[in-house]
Amino acid sequence: MAVIELGEYGADFTANPYPYYAKFRASGPVHEARMPDGYRFWLVVGHDEGRAALADPRFAKSPSVIGVRPPEEDIIGVHLLGADAPDHTRLRRLVTGEFTGRRVESLRPRVERLTAELADAMEPAGRADLVDAYAYPLPITVICELLGVPAEDRDTFRRWSTELVTPGDENTMAEAMRGFAGYLDALIEDKRAAGPADDLLSGLIAARAEDGDRLSGPELRAMAYLLLIAGHETTVNLIANTVRNLLTHPEQLAALRADPGLLDGAIEESLRYDGPVETGTFRFTREAVTLGGTEIPAGQSVLVGIGALDRDPARFPDPDRFDIRRDTRGHLAFGHGIHYCLGAPLARLEGRIALRTLLDRFPRLELDPEGEPWEWLPGLLMRGVRHLPVRW
């Protein structure tokens, strides 16, 4: 089986990878591939095979199983996304109590106020970049308020997180990570000194298991780091991608306007059709694993192509059709298994409120024909555009 050379496809693959994933899938659900920089890995593009891999403990999240210690562990520490059982089990147990349905639902009034304020600020101009004016400020404000991060620090956080989730210069990424780590250490110490408070970070500092276990300083720093990045970067693209998908499918937008009860369907179908996470982060084979008839040797890097899985016609008939009435059960936009996204309920809440407010306030919302061409986010991790010019 030939190695897929992703570098051969260039900007066309970045703008629309789905025809390529379909081509790969036609010859099998698992392929060896190579990044433009020469890094070799295994890419899973079949739904059933990818779902199985996401829940299979033979695919580890920590590269320590192949004898590699990622340099970011020395700066940030080990967080949930890079931990395996039993460490993952312990960490998740300590933080799950702070992500209750009650806490998420308690954020509804604040999210509604924020979306209304953002819409108020946008309205007079008649046009806007939806990412900068709406999709970005909502989730970054929510997650920073939830963690107790001061408002004046949010632009710095955006710069750091953007540098960390899109491919770039290694020195720049390391500098951003060190900035993040130093800031979070100081914030945690401030929270400890201030005593009990109602924000999430204070709750994590105080959290104890029944046996008295609690998060260490480095674990708190790593958890806050993960929540800040995962808690807003993905939701920015959830909101912007959903609006973009509706505006490029006017018949679906008209159906939603005619029946607001289709709102949840619009969010879930957008997650399936063109969700904010194109691939999961790397997994590593503890031993040789046969997946979809292909043997992946021990010690290999594996990417599960979330976007590819959710366009598999074996799971979703006519998968390239955007249909907000579709039965989307089984989509994997939030992952599967023990690493299923902890913040999925909050992302859905923000997405629903943001979309409803936007459609209510701007009945003539459309893509701005005078706007700049879309600039797609580089790399395989995040799926979205840097800017989305709209008018009303």
Side-chain angles (χ1 to χ4, degrees), residues 77-380:
V78 179
H79 52 67
L80 277 172
L81 199 56
D84 298 301
D87 295 332
H88 178 275
T89 307
R90 171 182 167 270
L91 290 171
R92 187 136 181 159
R93 182 181 71 240
L94 283 166
V95 303
T96 298
E98 294 299 319
F99 282 85
T100 61
R102 180 188 302 176
R103 181 184 277 276
V104 171
E105 187 57 33
S106 73
L107 296 171
R108 179 181 296 275
R110 179 58 177 148
V111 175
E112 291 172 341
R113 286 196 301 274
L114 282 169
T115 54
E117 290 168 3
L118 292 169
D120 287 343
M122 286 167 54
E123 190 165 17
R127 57 180 9 113
D129 171 10
L130 192 80
V131 174
D132 281 349
Y134 196 74
Y136 164 71
L138 173 63
I140 192 65
T141 300
V142 170
I143 196 63
C144 283
E145 288 185 355
L146 192 58
L147 283 167
V149 173
E152 60 268 22
D153 297 331
R154 291 170 196 168
D155 285 343
T156 303
F157 270 56
R158 183 185 193 184
R159 176 173 57 81
W160 283 337
S161 64
T162 299
E163 290 168 354
L164 289 168
V165 300
T166 55
D169 178 74
E170 289 186 7
N171 292 329
T172 301
M173 294 177 70
E175 182 181 349
M177 194 169 292
R178 284 191 291 269
F180 239 133
Y183 179 89
L184 292 172
D185 283 342
L187 182 63
I188 289 166
E189 286 310 306
D190 288 346
K191 296 290 183 186
R192 288 190 195 276
D198 193 38
D199 62 84
L200 176 58
L201 188 52
S202 296
L204 292 175
I205 290 170
R208 286 181 182 271
E210 291 182 2
D211 60 2
D213 186 21
R214 64 192 309 173
L215 294 169
S216 68
E219 288 169 343
L220 281 165
R221 178 181 63 229
M223 188 63 64
Y225 165 81
L226 177 62
L227 294 175
L228 280 164
I229 293 182
H232 89 273
E233 287 286 352
T234 51
T235 309
V236 170
N237 292 307
L238 164 59
I239 295 169
N241 289 0
T242 301
V243 174
R244 176 171 50 79
N245 291 331
L246 287 166
L247 295 182
T248 53
H249 296 83
E251 77 290 350
Q252 297 296 308
L253 177 58
L256 176 56
R257 288 195 181 282
D259 182 4
L262 293 172
L263 181 67
D264 284 358
I267 295 291
E268 296 304 315
E269 173 66 345
S270 189
L271 284 165
R272 180 205 70 84
Y273 177 81
D274 201 15
V277 179
E278 186 173 338
T279 68
T281 51
F282 277 108
R283 285 165 163 78
F284 307 93
T285 48
R286 299 176 185 272
E287 59 189 71
V289 180
T290 299
L291 188 67
T294 297
E295 181 176 291
I296 304 175
Q300 299 288 297
S301 301
V302 179
L303 276 184
V304 177
I306 302 297
L309 272 48
D310 284 341
R311 294 279 191 112
D312 187 341
R315 180 62 185 82
F316 298 103
D318 197 5
D320 296 325
R321 178 170 54 88
F322 181 68
D323 180 5
I324 64 175
R325 293 184 174 89
R326 180 193 297 273
D327 181 356
T328 57
R329 284 177 296 180
H331 80 65
L332 297 165
F334 290 114
H336 177 63
I338 66 170
H339 290 282
Y340 182 84
C341 178
L342 195 62
L346 178 57
R348 285 186 164 112
L349 177 76
E350 292 181 61
R352 290 165 184 155
I353 294 172
L355 185 57
R356 181 75 275 152
T357 300
L358 200 66
L359 296 181
D360 287 346
R361 292 290 295 275
F362 305 107
R364 297 177 63 189
L365 185 72
E366 62 180 0
L367 295 172
D368 189 345
E370 299 177 15
E372 294 293 319
W374 295 337
E375 181 186 353
W376 295 91
L377 297 175
L380 290 176

